[in-house]
Amino acid sequence: MAKEVKTIGVLTSGGDAPGMNAAIRAVVRTAINKGMSVKGIMRGYAGLLQEEIVDMDGTSVADTIGRGGTILYTARCPEFMMEEGQKKGADICRKHGIDGLVVIGGDGSYRGAGKLSALGINTVGLPGTIDLDIACTDYTIGFDTAINTAMEAIDKVRDTSTSHERCSIIEVMGRHAGYIALWCGIANGAEDILLPERYDGNEQMLINRIIENRKRGKKHHIIINAEGIGHSASMARRIEAATGIETRATILGYMQRGGAPTCKDRMYASIMGAKAVELLCMGKTNRVVAHKHGEFLDFDIQEALNMKKDIPEDQYEISKMLVR
Ligand code: ADP
Ligand code: F6P
């Protein structure tokens, strides 16, 4: 029989994402409604090692479901990559009576959670990142908000780009993954979408297409460039020099990571937070909650980390078919 869980800890780690607060709230409220107590660990693994641990009750998460960022703050913690740091973290969890820990973050945070689990602290991970780059899941907390924020901004840039008959390179987040670029590229009707997973660096092809489109009477040319490719400003200068068409670069940056979460992010993060508590109550550990093929599931952390994910080829091909 699973050992009775009395106290659940929760932390957010890695890059923040809109909807993390909805997940924290769901963990806190589900645990409290099941008769457990909850401890919030501030600033991810860094706060754990500093024992920045606070008691949470139902009201600690009041009025947070609609807020971006994370009320627990987040951090990156090199010390936790070392065995010594992980042992210290597990000892601190034991000292504070934490029987189960919910870690909200990306792959790196899952690795840390896996280490704590091996040291006897029951852990469950939730996918928190705007990048959608967690292989075991089709959904990550924050992606929906980020693409909607970026989409609205790109629509605005497109308006002025058309008025001035310019070419615009708009850089969206995604240092290693092009999901935001692909979704916005399609949703904003971009002429070109540059993904770290696909772009071959052939700028001449881009230039040829811009010239061709201009000859056909197109008023603007929108290029969505993922952060992983970067260099948007120098790319704009080269394109302007080669085409004679005024070209501007806009880097959307951190605005994509903030703001009120969308309904979908609030809803899915809430479900995932509740599921994490249920898994811990069942005595499960070393698990991550995912949403795959329309269902909420959970996987072993190592199994999840070994999974591979790539931009769906059909979506990438469709993006090219939609341009004229
Ligand atoms: P994300 O969780 O968004 O992928 P990071 O890769 O920055 O973000 O990881 C967040 C934190 O997780 C790191 O700062 C570190 O404390 C912890 N972490 C990452 N990788 C490991 C690892 N291999 N072992 C232990 N902890 C790790
Ligand atoms: O949260 C994901 C992300 O926005 C990536 O797209 C980007 O590579 C990274 O975070 C940048 O985060 P920071 O500047 O906070 O290290």
Side-chain angles (χ1 to χ4, degrees):
M1 238 206 23
K3 188 177 128 236
E4 193 193 353
V5 179
K6 293 205 180 93
T7 303
I8 284 190
V10 57
L11 63 81
T12 48
S13 167
D16 69 342
M20 280 184 163
N21 285 329
I24 296 166
R25 174 179 175 273
V27 169
V28 172
R29 295 260 166 103
T30 308
I32 283 169
N33 284 324
K34 283 178 180 285
M36 294 172 261
S37 27
V38 184
K39 299 211 183 237
I41 299 163
M42 310 302 286
R43 300 179 180 81
Y45 296 121
L48 174 64
L49 298 187
Q50 297 297 318
E51 288 192 59
E52 290 184 61
I53 300 175
V54 296
D55 291 327
M56 297 186 87
D57 59 24
T59 53
S60 330
V61 288
D63 220 358
T64 59
I65 194 165
R67 279 164 53 191
T70 159
I71 56 166
L72 294 176
Y73 302 100
T74 187
R76 297 193 167 94
C77 178
E79 195 187 341
F80 202 73
M81 312 279 272
M82 311 296 170
E83 210 179 308
E84 209 181 313
Q86 294 151 15
K87 281 189 181 148
K88 184 176 167 191
D91 287 341
I92 292 170
C93 285
R94 273 186 280 272
K95 178 177 161 191
H96 287 263
I98 293 171
D99 308 300
L101 178 66
V102 181
V103 171
I104 308 168
D107 277 348
S109 305
Y110 288 0
R111 287 198 176 85
K115 299 284 168 50
L116 282 176
S117 180
L119 291 166
I121 306 300
N122 284 4
T123 54
V124 173
L126 296 185
T129 169
I130 64 163
D131 286 346
L132 196 69
D133 60 345
I134 299 181
C136 69
T137 184
D138 299 334
Y139 165 84
T140 61
I141 296 167
F143 175 71
D144 190 60
T145 306
I147 51 174
N148 278 289
T149 301
M151 182 189 73
E152 284 177 21
I154 295 164
D155 276 342
K156 291 176 178 143
V157 176
R158 188 189 165 112
D159 287 345
T160 167
S161 195
T162 309
S163 306
H164 287 262
E165 301 178 63
R166 282 175 176 157
C167 172
S168 279
I169 303 176
I170 306 168
E171 188 172 309
V172 296
M173 269 187 157
R175 199 169 286 165
H176 305 289
Y179 296 96
I180 298 177
L182 179 65
W183 278 64
C184 289
I186 292 178
N188 290 98
E191 277 66 34
D192 279 292
I193 307 173
L194 311 184
L195 308 177
E197 297 90 339
R198 295 285 186 280
Y199 184 54
D200 60 4
N202 190 345
E203 218 165 87
Q204 193 54 50
M205 281 262 287
L206 277 179
I207 289 166
N208 293 347
R209 248 198 314 273
I210 294 165
I211 295 171
E212 183 65 20
N213 281 344
R214 187 49 61 103
K215 278 192 195 143
R216 289 194 302 111
K218 273 214 146 182
K219 298 290 179 222
H220 62 233
H221 192 106
I222 304 288
I223 301 169
I224 304 294
N225 185 28
E227 179 192 352
I229 296 167
H231 304 289
S232 296
S234 56
M235 206 185 276
R237 281 194 296 275
R238 287 192 298 272
I239 288 174
E240 181 165 313
T243 62
I245 298 167
E246 266 193 318
T247 304
R248 296 281 193 269
T250 305
I251 299 172
L252 296 187
Y254 291 100
M255 66 173 297
Q256 295 161 93
R257 226 159 69 175
T262 58
C263 181
K264 179 171 179 176
D265 276 331
R266 297 179 199 199
M267 169 76 176
Y268 278 37
S270 298
I271 292 173
M272 287 181 154
K275 292 236 172 252
V277 174
E278 280 162 19
L279 288 169
L280 290 170
C281 285
M282 287 190 284
K284 301 255 178 101
T285 184
N286 206 48
R287 309 296 293 177
V288 289
V289 179
H291 188 258
K292 208 156 179 67
H293 308 312
E295 265 185 281
F296 289 97
L297 308 164
D298 57 284
F299 294 101
D300 173 81
I301 288 186
Q302 266 64 45
E303 193 192 333
L305 289 171
N306 288 336
M307 290 181 189
K308 297 272 175 278
K309 180 173 182 176
D310 193 11
I311 292 288
E313 194 53 35
D314 58 335
Q315 292 178 13
Y316 184 55
E317 287 306 316
I318 286 168
S319 77
K320 291 191 257 178
M321 286 300 129
L322 301 179
V323 182
R324 189 71 196 111

